[in-house]
């Protein structure tokens, strides 16, 4: 099956390593994927907070574009950023709700020469890798098994809430399954979906950083060598403020968070630059080398 | 049409209809202009008198009808009031008392079907008038009928041997009725047998239950079939046939004296299988007695564990040890059939499966228990002999009791389970008394309506238990401070002070709610009753017939009807026993004369009806010319399916003749 | 939508309902006891079992001026008389085909399984059906069709099915 790819702004900016590693891993696994042409903002955060209707309209344009680009009864659009994933899903629910809320959005699309027919299925790459491709096949492709590496999978809030499309809302396990397939040991911990601080880290750093710190500290205390993430904002919060946290809180933390696709790439034998690992503030390799 | 059906005539004279529109206080009159409905009725065909009155079901209301029957020589009566399922018999009797055949009566339902469900007054008036017109049209074609009497079987079957079933069975047995008490588990006693103390008096559960259990066993009027299930029910009120599957316990019940020598000698020297009675907190052998006071005091063998069954061979030390030769590995499942006049269902409940709320960590963290598990831990006869210990053997210093697990929650059960607040208080008290631990109760609201219940809550407050108002968000082992290390942390918003809190404890107890059994739907179908969406059996009327069901002769007792505590179960069991006694003691039931009959002159002998009848009540009489069908009235239950199928219009159903229904259709559409 | 609200269009359909005594009639009593308001357009006639409902009753109702007919019985497997509801279902299906030919729209007759505890379902079904029939407008029965007309129609169907050659 051929997929469409919706990058969103983060994957072209702060989350470049996410995009680089996804493209590299998908290429390695021979999963075909085309970027949606002329895609625009998903409508998250600012739009959603100010005017939901506009946010839905913005998001829906991407769905309509996907339908224009691919002629198929079911179009699978991969949205790696957790915020994009959630907003696109939300917009779809809004459009398809029975009480006809989507009328004005459809009108807006029409004015723009577009049409949404409900053929799109929004997918997270984790969902595609686990449920379409399959962990057994991933296992077969592993070239550098992550023997002895203890990995804490961190899912964040958005990919399983409120829509638990492909995993358990309270105790998601799909990322853990991928890590196990790579030969790593999945660390069992209860904070898989606890808040990373989100946008608070930018505006009220003392609160936001505390929330990120809780995650890093708990992963560390459970013996994790690394944390894997599936969201650019989670990754940013966990990765980029470790220096500041170490000044602010008593017990220093030092644990590399990486995108789960980067970790996959390492195990699949891909190079550091292919996976954007050279961009890391907290390097991954020392944690792996120790094993 | 059969000969007895009317053609709008009674005793040769024209119909004279009286119509009575009931206000039902303001229940009807608040929405329907009863006076104008009566006025409208006066102009309907054959109506001689039409009145409206405040309460038709009251004595003066009924007298109004009776006076008119005499004075105006009425031979038909229509009452427009509530549902016929409510008061049809009341008014039929009123007619009969005034000398009119009770089946010359028809009811129009203008309360449940009009005033209670209609928004606009003028719409309600219109609908009420249409229904009254339908009743008047129809009643003109009614005919005189007789109720049929059938003898009632004097025995009673009670299904489920928890405290409700036990109490109901004893009550009826003491009244001299023979009772079959059927219990699915190997022993009677139900949930109550698992409890240590009962709230709010803290009297010992076993001390009050065990004597009743042995009364059941010793009562000459009670046949106790444990380890048995009802598999089929046939018949109607007064004469049920109940088929019971008696599961093999591989022990001859009559021979076993409960000495437990067999258990002692079992080739498994150590108990190693999960003990269901102890909520899997203890172990038992493949041959076992559920608990010391089990009734009947008879052992049983679990064939999924006994080597004789799993491996096909075993030294069979148990059989050797038994002096009474009670062990019988070849025992087979048996189906027995009993006849009875009434059935009481007291099948109880199951507790909520706490794993359905993963964030509370049940089965994930070793020291998260359900309330029923804690009941076994505090029970002197339980796996720890009454000592409250964690799985590692240590005594908890702090215990958190989480209320409303699986209750008052839109994601699981919206209803309140009624008993959890009180049993949580009881458990809190027992934990504090026995361990001195700090006990935290996490509650949404404290619900203590009952005699001595609120006082018990006061007592707990004085004992120094902590009460935190808020629904628990999560139970986790993630520590944020050294004090939390190695503990279970309960995260909750304390809504009285408005802050989120983290309470570290050694033991978490989930106060699980009550749910209907998984097979409640199969059971209620078998007994021909209905259940609510949550699976609780539905009573005939929530206020006035709380232990009756939609099926005559089937009564409800205890928590199968909805969550209940022990006093309520016992009270309801007594009520159900009284209702069942009232039925079987009377000795006969009167059946609605709504049976079908065939007019031989019209029957063409096509046999279409024969295959329609679910009761095989229709036979072809081959002695008649052209082989006509005939209906055995004793077997006919009055569904009318054959009537609708007859291509010749030869079959007619009393009370529901084609003519009556056509008139009703015409009436309901002709005026408004 | 139609919880007893009148529409400005003025057309208020009249719907005759045949409810079985044990499930649906009891359910409709429960609707009342629960004070669930619904469209006043449905008038209920009680029968002991949905199996008693002679197709002629439905035809009579439509002939006497009903714009729709609603049938309520026990859920499959729940019939108080074991299987009367299955008989009702069979007749209903056949009758629907027949009514179709008479030009009566499908939405005008409806069969619903409503258990005694489903008072809310009565409300929902009645409101839905009232709304549907209101949209269809008053029932105007076509002039009684002649046998020839049927024959013609049959032929057309056969042609459509490509079977003409074999049959004629």
């Amino acid at each position: 099956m051929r997929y469409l790819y919706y990058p969103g702004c983060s994957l072209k900016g702060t989350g470049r390593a996410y995009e680089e590693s996804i493209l590299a891993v998908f290429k390695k696994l021979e999963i075909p994927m085309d970027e949606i042409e002329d895609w625009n903002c998903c409508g998250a955060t600012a739009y959603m907070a100010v005017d939901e209707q506009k946010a839905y309209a913005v998001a829906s344009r991407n769905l309509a574009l996907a339908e224009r680009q691919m002629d198929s009864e079911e179009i699978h659009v991969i949205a790696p950023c957790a915020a994009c994933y959630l907003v696109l899903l939300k917009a779809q629910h809004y459009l398809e709700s029975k009480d006809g809320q989507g009328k004005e959005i459809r009108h807006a699309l029409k004015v723009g020469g577009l049409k949404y027919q409900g053929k799109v299925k929004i997918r997270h790459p984790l969902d595609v890798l686990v449920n379409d491709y399959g962990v057994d096949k991933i296992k077969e492709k592993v070239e550098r098994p992550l023997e002895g590496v203890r990995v804490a999978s961190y899912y964040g809030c958005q990919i399983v809430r409120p829509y638990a499309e492909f995993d358990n809302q309270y105790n998601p396990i799909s990322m853990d399954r991928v890590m196990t397939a790579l030969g790593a040991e999945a660390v069992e911990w209860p904070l898989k979906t606890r808040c990373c601080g989100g946008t608070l880290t930018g505006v009220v750093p003392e609160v936001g950083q505390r929330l990120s710190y809780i995650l890093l500290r708990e992963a560390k205390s459970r013996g994790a060598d690394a944390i894997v993430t599936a969201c650019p904002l989670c990754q940013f919060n966990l990765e980029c403020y470790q220096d500041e946290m170490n000044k602010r809180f008593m017990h220093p933390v030092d644990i590399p968070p990486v995108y789960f696709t980067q970790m996959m790439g390492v195990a699949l034998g891909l190079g550091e630059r292919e996976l954007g690992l050279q961009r890391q503030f907290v390097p991954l390799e020392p944690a792996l080398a120790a094993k | 049409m059969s000969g007895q059906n009317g053609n709008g005539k009674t005793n040769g004279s024209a119909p004279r209809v009286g119509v009575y529109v009931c206000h039902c206080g303001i229940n009807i009159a608040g929405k329907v202009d009863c006076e104008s409905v009566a006025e409208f009725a006066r102009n309907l065909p054959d109506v001689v008198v039409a009145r409206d009155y405040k309460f038709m079901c009251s004595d003066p209301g009924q007298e109004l009808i009776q006076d008119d029957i005499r004075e105006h020589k009425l031979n038909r009566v229509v009452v427009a009031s509530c549902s016929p399922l409510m008061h049809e018999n009341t008014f039929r009797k009123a007619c009969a008392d005034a000398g009119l055949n009770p089946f010359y009566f028809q009811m129009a339902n203008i309360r449940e079907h009009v005033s209670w469900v209609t928004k606009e007054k003028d719409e309600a008036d219109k609908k009420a008038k249409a229904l009254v017109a339908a009743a008047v049209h129809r009643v003109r074609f009614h005919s005189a009928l007789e109720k049929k009497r059938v003898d009632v079987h004097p025995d009673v079957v009670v299904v489920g041997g928890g405290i409700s079933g036990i109490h109901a069975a004893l009550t009826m047995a003491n009244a001299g009725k023979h009772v079959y008490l059927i219990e699915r588990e190997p022993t009677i006693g139900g949930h109550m047998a698992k409890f240590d103390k009962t709230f709010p008096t803290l009297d010992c559960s076993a001390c009050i239950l065990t004597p009743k259990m042995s009364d059941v066993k010793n009562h000459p009027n009670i046949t106790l079939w444990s380890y048995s299930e009802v598999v089929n029910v046939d018949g109607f009120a007064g004469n049920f046939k109940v088929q019971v599957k008696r599961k093999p316990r591989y022990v001859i019940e009559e021979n076993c004296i409960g000495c437990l020598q067999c258990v002692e000698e079992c080739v498994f020297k150590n108990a190693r299988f999960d003990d269901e009675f102890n909520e899997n907190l203890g172990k038992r052998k493949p041959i076992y007695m559920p608990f010391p006071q089990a009734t009947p005091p008879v052992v049983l063998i679990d064939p999924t564990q006994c080597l004789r069954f799993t491996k096909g061979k075993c030294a069979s030390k148990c059989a050797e040890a038994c002096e009474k030769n009670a062990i019988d590995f070849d025992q087979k499942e048996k189906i027995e059939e009993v006849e009875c006049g009434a059935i009481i269902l007291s099948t109880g409940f199951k507790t909520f499966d706490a794993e359905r709320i993963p964030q509370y960590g049940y089965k994930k963290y070793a020291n998260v228990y359900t309330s029923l598990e804690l009941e076994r831990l505090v029970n002197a006869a339980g796996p720890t002999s009454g000592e409250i210990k964690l799985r590692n053997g240590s005594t908890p210093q702090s215990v958190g009791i989480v209320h409303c697990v699986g209750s008052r929650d839109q994601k699981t059960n919206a209803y309140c389970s009624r008993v959890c607040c009180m049993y949580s208080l009881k458990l809190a008290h027992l934990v504090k008394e026995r361990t001195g631990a700090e006990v935290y109760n996490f509650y949404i609201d404290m619900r203590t309506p009952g005699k001595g219940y609120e006082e018990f809550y006061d007592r707990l407050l004085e004992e120094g238990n902590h009460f935190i108002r808020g629904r628990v968000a999560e139970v986790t082992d993630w520590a944020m401070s050294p004090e939390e290390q190695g503990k279970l942390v309960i995260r909750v918003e304390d809504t009285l002070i408005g802050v989120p809190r983290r309470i570290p404890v050694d033991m978490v107890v989930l106060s699980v709610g009550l749910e209907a059994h998984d097979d409640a739907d199969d059971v209620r179908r078998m007994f021909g009753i209905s259940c609510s969406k949550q699976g609780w059996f539905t009573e005939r009327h929530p206020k006035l017939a709380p232990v009756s069901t939609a099926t005559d002769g089937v009564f409800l007792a205890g928590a199968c009807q909805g969550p209940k505590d022990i006093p309520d179960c016992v009270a309801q069991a007594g009520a159900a026993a009284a209702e069942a006694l009232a039925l079987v003691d009377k000795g006969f039931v009167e059946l609605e004369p709504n049976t079908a009959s065939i007019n031989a002159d019209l029957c063409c002998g096509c046999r279409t009806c024969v295959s329609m009848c679910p009761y095989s009540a229709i036979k072809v009489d081959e002695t008649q010319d052209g082989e006509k069908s005939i209906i055995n009235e004793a077997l006919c239950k009055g569904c009318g399916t054959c009537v609708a199928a007859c291509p010749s219009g030869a079959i007619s159903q009393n009370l529901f003749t084609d003519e009556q229904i056509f008139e009703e259709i015409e009436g309901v559409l002709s005026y408004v | 939508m139609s919880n007893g609200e009148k529409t400005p269009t003025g057309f208020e359909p009249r719907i005759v309902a045949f409810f079985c005594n044990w499930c649906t009639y009891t359910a409709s009593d429960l609707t009342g006891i629960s004070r669930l308001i619904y469209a006043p357009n449905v008038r209920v006639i009680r029968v002991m079992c949905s199996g008693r409902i002679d197709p002629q009753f439905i035809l009579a109702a439509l002939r006497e001026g009903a714009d729709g007919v609603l049938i309520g019985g026990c859920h499959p497997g729940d019939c108080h008389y074991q299987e009367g509801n299955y008989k009702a279902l069979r007749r209903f299906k056949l009758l629907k085909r027949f009514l179709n030919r008479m030009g009566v729209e499908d939405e005008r007759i409806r069969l619903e399984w409503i258990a005694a505890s489903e008072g809310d379902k009565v409300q929902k079904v009645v409101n839905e059906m009232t709304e549907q029939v209101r949209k269809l407008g008053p029932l105007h029965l076509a002039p009684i069709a002649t046998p020839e007309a049927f024959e013609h129609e049959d032929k057309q169907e056969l042609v459509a099915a490509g079977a003409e050659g074999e049959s004629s």
Side-chain angles (χ1 to χ4, degrees):
Chain A
M1 179 166 40
R2 204 165 184 88
Y3 295 90
L4 286 183
Y5 167 53
Y6 174 79
C9 63
S10 291
L11 273 82
K12 300 290 181 189
T14 52
R16 272 171 79 181
Y18 198 7
E19 172 165 78
E20 285 160 351
S21 58
I22 283 178
L23 296 180
V25 165
F26 272 53
K27 194 175 158 204
K28 175 86 182 174
L29 298 178
E30 293 168 347
I31 306 174
M33 183 166 80
D34 305 316
E35 190 167 320
I36 296 179
E37 285 159 26
D38 197 30
W39 60 268
N40 55 257
C41 173
C42 72
T45 50
Y47 263 122
M48 204 45 112
V50 178
D51 187 336
E52 279 199 3
Q53 186 88 353
K54 286 202 179 85
Y56 288 137
V58 167
S60 302
R61 181 170 180 274
N62 294 310
L63 304 181
L65 286 177
E67 286 189 351
R68 190 176 69 182
Q69 187 167 339
M70 192 181 257
D71 183 24
S72 167
E73 274 316 297
E74 207 175 58
I75 300 161
H76 293 253
V77 171
I78 296 180
C81 168
C84 298
Y85 175 73
L86 178 61
V87 171
L88 292 179
L89 271 176
K90 233 169 151 177
Q92 197 175 35
H93 273 77
Y94 187 83
L95 271 170
E96 292 174 3
S97 78
K98 293 210 171 59
D99 31 0
Q101 293 171 319
K103 229 188 210 161
E104 290 171 30
I105 308 284
R106 282 174 206 283
H107 179 70
L109 289 176
K110 201 173 159 193
V111 171
L114 287 166
K115 200 174 155 195
Y116 175 66
Q117 295 166 286
K119 294 176 180 175
V120 172
K121 219 171 147 12
I122 317 288
R123 308 287 302 273
H124 193 270
L126 195 49
D127 177 16
V128 169
L129 287 167
V130 171
N131 297 313
D132 291 4
Y133 192 78
V135 283
D136 291 337
K137 271 172 81 185
I138 293 174
K139 204 170 173 177
E140 286 169 20
K141 302 267 175 165
V142 170
E143 290 175 16
R144 179 188 167 190
L146 302 174
E147 295 283 343
V149 182
R150 288 173 55 82
V151 181
S153 298
Y154 176 66
Y155 298 77
C157 59
Q158 301 190 106
I159 56 180
V160 287
R161 283 200 296 251
Y163 312 112
E165 295 274 317
F166 66 95
D167 208 338
N168 187 298
Q169 210 151 27
Y170 298 101
N171 184 29
I173 52 161
S174 43
M175 215 175 340
D176 299 74
R177 288 177 63 202
V178 172
M179 292 305 128
T180 313
L182 303 179
E185 190 184 331
V187 173
E188 178 57 36
W189 66 321
L191 306 186
K192 287 176 176 180
T193 60
R194 197 175 194 273
C195 182
C196 70
T199 47
L200 268 186
T201 308
V203 280
V204 197
E206 62 276 20
V207 175
Q209 282 184 23
R210 184 165 173 272
L211 292 167
S212 301
Y213 173 74
I214 286 169
L215 299 176
L216 295 170
R217 176 104 194 98
E218 187 63 17
K220 188 91 186 159
S221 72
R222 292 193 184 235
D225 299 310
I227 297 180
V228 285
T229 65
C231 165
L233 186 56
C234 297
Q235 173 69 25
F236 188 76
N237 283 344
L238 295 182
E239 182 195 337
C240 302
Y241 294 97
Q242 291 196 11
D243 280 354
E244 276 189 46
M245 284 181 216
N246 288 343
K247 280 182 223 144
R248 200 185 287 269
F249 303 109
M250 201 168 60
H251 304 283
V253 289
D254 176 21
I255 179 170
V258 295
Y259 291 107
F260 79 101
T261 39
Q262 288 179 300
M263 193 64 100
M264 283 182 78
V266 170
L268 296 174
L270 298 171
E272 193 185 69
R273 292 204 155 260
E274 283 177 279
L275 300 169
L277 279 169
Q278 80 282 8
R279 302 182 197 283
Q280 283 287 117
F281 283 119
V282 188
L284 174 66
E285 206 50 44
L288 301 182
K291 297 293 157 182
Chain B
M1 298 295 128
S2 71
Q4 59 177 331
N5 286 316
N7 52 355
K9 298 258 177 353
T10 317
N11 307 330
S13 59
R16 297 176 61 80
V17 186
V19 178
Y20 301 88
V21 184
C22 179
H23 294 198
C24 195
I26 58 160
N27 280 305
I28 295 170
K31 193 69 86 173
V32 176
D33 181 352
C34 298
E35 216 182 303
S36 85
V37 175
E39 178 59 38
F40 162 82
R42 271 178 211 120
N43 296 316
L44 291 170
D46 297 330
V47 171
V48 177
V49 54
R51 305 181 193 276
D52 59 298
Y53 186 71
K54 207 158 187 67
F55 286 106
M56 282 312 301
C57 61
S58 66
D59 281 351
Q62 294 184 43
E63 279 160 20
L64 200 64
I65 301 174
Q66 292 169 331
D67 290 346
D68 281 351
I69 289 175
R70 292 183 202 106
E71 194 181 322
H72 294 280
K73 309 230 168 335
L74 298 182
N75 54 25
R76 299 288 192 281
V77 172
V78 167
V79 174
S81 57
C82 49
S83 169
L85 305 184
M86 184 95 189
H87 269 314
E88 189 171 54
N89 278 330
T90 311
F91 295 117
R92 276 184 180 171
K93 187 165 176 300
C95 292
D97 289 350
L100 187 66
N101 183 288
F103 297 97
Y104 283 131
F105 167 78
Q106 178 67 20
M107 224 164 155
N109 184 350
I110 61 166
R111 193 178 73 173
E112 282 83 345
H113 284 186
V114 181
S115 66
W116 280 351
V117 294
T118 309
K119 193 173 175 192
E120 304 289 345
K121 284 189 169 183
D122 55 335
E123 291 295 343
D125 281 357
K126 267 163 72 180
K127 192 171 174 187
K129 285 173 184 167
L131 294 181
V132 168
V136 168
H137 265 253
R138 163 192 236 280
V139 81
R140 298 181 305 143
F141 292 84
H142 277 206
S143 48
L145 299 166
E146 292 292 327
K147 279 198 172 183
K148 196 171 55 177
R149 277 192 180 192
V150 180
D151 288 341
V152 165
H153 196 287
D155 295 353
V156 182
V157 164
V158 176
V159 186
I163 180 59
S164 307
I166 290 173
H167 187 77
L170 283 172
T171 306
M172 291 182 295
N174 288 339
K177 300 298 163 202
H178 193 89
V179 180
Y180 292 88
L181 178 57
I182 305 186
E183 167 59 48
R184 171 158 34 189
E185 300 296 327
T187 172
I188 57 169
H191 282 93
M192 190 179 168
K194 297 188 176 187
F195 305 156
D196 184 49
K197 297 279 189 286
T198 56
F199 62 76
T201 44
L202 295 175
D203 37 357
C204 147
S205 186
C207 312
I208 54 178
L209 179 64
T210 319
K212 288 189 87 120
M213 287 165 64
S214 63
D215 282 355
V216 166
K217 183 173 71 88
N218 298 323
H219 207 295
N221 287 341
I222 297 181
T223 303
L224 168 60
W225 284 348
S226 65
Y227 214 39
S228 303
E229 280 175 58
V230 175
V231 289
N232 192 36
V233 181
D234 268 336
F236 281 77
N239 291 282
F240 291 106
K241 279 196 181 70
V242 179
Q243 280 187 338
V244 181
K245 175 171 85 185
R246 307 209 54 203
K247 295 179 277 190
R249 53 204 310 156
Y250 305 106
V251 170
I252 300 163
E253 210 173 307
E254 298 71 32
N255 294 3
C256 178
I257 54 167
C259 67
L260 304 183
Q261 271 302 310
C262 51
V263 179
E264 189 71 25
E265 295 298 325
C266 174
V267 295
F268 284 99
K269 280 300 151 217
N270 296 314
R272 52 181 280 196
F273 299 100
D274 281 345
D275 181 358
E276 301 88 348
F277 188 79
N278 278 323
E279 297 295 307
N280 300 335
L281 291 171
K283 299 288 177 195
R284 60 159 177 77
K285 294 184 178 181
I287 184 163
Y288 65 103
M289 198 184 304
F291 63 106
Q293 297 89 355
T295 305
V298 172
V299 296
L300 74 156
I301 294 172
D302 186 333
T304 64
Q305 296 158 354
C306 172
L307 294 180
R308 178 81 184 216
F309 295 92
T310 55
K311 298 265 186 289
K313 60 174 186 215
C314 172
S316 305
K317 297 273 192 194
C318 54
E320 225 169 77
C322 183
E323 290 172 12
K324 307 285 278 184
N325 290 326
I327 310 257
D328 175 9
F329 293 111
D330 299 323
Q331 213 171 52
K332 293 276 176 300
E333 179 181 299
K334 249 190 328 196
I335 302 283
E336 303 213 40
E337 188 173 280
V338 291
E339 292 185 4
C340 65
I343 295 171
I344 292 180
L345 286 177
S346 49
T347 50
F349 64 93
K350 75 171 168 65
T351 50
F352 175 79
D353 173 12
E355 272 192 278
R356 281 171 58 195
I357 307 184
Q359 56 278 40
Y360 287 173
Y362 181 63
K363 291 260 168 94
K364 185 171 165 196
Y365 303 124
N367 293 324
V368 177
Y369 293 82
T370 66
S371 44
L372 202 51
E373 287 170 345
L374 183 59
E375 293 281 1
R376 292 313 296 158
L377 290 183
V378 299
N379 194 307
T384 54
S385 306
E387 284 192 59
I388 300 165
K389 283 182 172 164
L390 298 172
R391 289 195 207 261
N392 65 7
S394 66
T395 305
Q397 302 296 307
S398 49
V399 177
I401 301 180
V402 181
H403 291 218
C404 299
V405 177
S407 306
R408 305 185 69 194
D409 176 2
Q410 296 296 338
K411 285 190 175 165
T412 54
N413 295 309
Y415 56 82
C416 164
S417 290
R418 273 189 81 191
V419 296
C420 321
C421 279
M422 285 308 292
Y423 79 58
S424 299
L425 290 179
K426 173 192 75 179
L427 291 171
H429 168 83
L430 294 175
V431 168
K432 188 141 190 85
E433 182 185 68
R434 305 222 181 138
T435 64
E438 290 297 327
V439 180
Y440 300 87
N441 278 276
F442 301 88
Y443 68 101
I444 308 177
D445 296 292
M446 283 306 298
R447 296 195 164 171
T448 58
K451 203 171 168 186
Y453 289 9
E454 183 69 12
E455 294 90 324
F456 189 67
Y457 175 34
D458 285 342
R459 177 178 166 182
L460 267 281
L461 288 168
E462 278 168 28
E463 282 174 3
N465 291 279
H466 305 283
F467 286 86
I468 296 172
R469 184 172 174 275
R471 185 189 276 286
V472 168
E474 180 183 38
V475 175
T476 176
D477 64 348
W478 148 56
M480 273 187 85
S481 63
E483 303 81 66
E484 293 180 355
Q485 284 298 338
K487 304 253 184 189
L488 291 168
V489 179
I490 296 175
R491 296 180 59 223
V492 62
E493 182 190 355
D494 187 330
T495 58
L496 292 182
I497 53 173
V499 294
R501 293 178 69 178
R502 297 172 59 91
I503 312 282
V505 293
D506 295 326
M507 179 188 217
V508 172
V509 179
L510 303 178
S511 294
V512 286
L514 274 49
E515 281 190 333
H517 282 295
D518 292 332
D519 61 352
D521 200 50
D522 301 333
V523 172
R524 63 111 200 139
R525 189 166 285 180
M526 193 156 58
F527 289 93
I529 62 171
S530 53
C531 59
S532 67
K533 284 197 183 74
Q534 300 85 14
W536 305 111
F537 297 153
T538 315
E539 64 281 1
R540 178 175 291 177
H541 190 281
K543 312 287 179 309
L544 300 177
V547 299
S548 305
T549 65
T551 299
D552 287 335
V554 177
F555 305 98
L556 302 176
C560 61
Q561 181 260 351
K564 265 178 213 67
D565 59 13
I566 295 168
D568 283 1
C569 282
V570 171
Q572 207 197 18
E579 294 274 2
L581 283 172
L583 170 65
V584 294
D585 243 16
K586 192 174 169 193
F588 64 88
V589 282
E590 286 186 320
L591 300 183
E592 271 288 285
N594 56 8
T595 50
S597 57
I598 297 177
N599 181 344
D601 292 342
L602 295 176
C603 176
C604 67
C606 71
R607 304 180 185 215
T608 304
C609 53
V610 177
S611 64
M612 285 292 131
C613 183
Y615 305 102
S616 307
I618 311 181
K619 290 275 175 306
V620 178
D621 182 2
E622 306 199 346
T623 60
Q624 291 201 33
D625 290 340
E627 297 185 353
K628 312 268 180 176
S629 292
I630 48 168
I631 295 176
N632 180 340
E633 206 195 339
L635 294 176
C636 174
K637 305 283 182 255
C639 63
T641 304
C642 59
V643 191
C646 179
S648 317
I651 315 182
S652 153
Q653 182 189 12
N654 287 333
L655 289 171
F656 295 92
T657 66
D658 283 352
E659 201 170 20
Q660 288 163 359
I661 295 174
F662 283 131
E663 280 295 326
E664 207 171 343
I665 295 168
E666 195 183 314
V668 88
L669 289 166
S670 294
Y671 302 88
V672 274
Chain C
M1 290 289 283
S2 71
N3 52 354
E5 301 276 359
K6 276 202 257 176
T7 51
T9 63
F11 169 62
E12 281 302 321
R14 291 189 302 171
I15 297 168
V16 172
F18 296 95
F19 286 173
C20 83
N21 181 64
W22 302 97
C23 289
T24 313
Y25 194 88
T26 312
S28 64
D29 277 359
L30 179 62
T31 322
I33 292 165
S34 317
R35 310 296 200 278
L36 300 174
I37 302 293
Y38 56 79
N41 308 55
V42 165
R43 285 117 199 233
V44 179
I45 291 176
R46 181 170 69 113
V47 288
M48 292 312 284
C49 176
S50 54
R52 173 69 184 94
I53 300 164
D54 191 323
Q56 293 188 71
F57 297 164
I58 296 158
L59 297 174
L62 297 176
R63 190 180 60 227
E64 299 287 342
D67 301 296
V69 174
L70 172 64
I71 298 169
C74 306
H75 282 273
D78 281 1
C79 179
H80 189 78
Y81 303 102
Q82 298 182 11
E83 50 198 29
N85 51 355
Y86 296 139
K87 309 282 171 17
L89 176 64
R90 279 195 233 163
R91 288 177 195 139
F92 176 77
K93 296 234 160 180
L94 282 171
L95 182 72
K96 235 180 163 172
R97 276 169 60 175
F98 174 71
L99 286 173
N100 238 319
R101 294 204 151 173
M102 286 173 59
V104 177
E105 299 90 338
D106 272 352
E107 293 86 348
R108 289 194 193 270
I109 65 167
R110 178 161 173 172
L111 171 68
E112 283 288 342
W113 309 132
I114 304 178
S117 55
E118 296 179 316
D120 52 339
K121 190 169 175 187
V122 172
Q123 178 194 39
K124 183 175 151 276
V125 166
V126 168
N127 282 343
E128 257 177 38
M129 185 165 177
T130 304
E131 195 54 43
Q132 278 173 342
V133 177
R134 186 180 286 139
K135 273 190 193 140
L136 290 176
L139 172 68
H140 297 296
L141 285 175
I144 292 168
T146 56
E148 291 77 42
F150 276 117
E151 217 167 76
H152 176 66
E153 209 176 283
D154 279 342
K155 242 186 196 150
Q156 280 189 327
E157 262 180 35
L158 287 171
V159 172
E164 168 119 78
E166 291 156 49
S167 63
S168 54

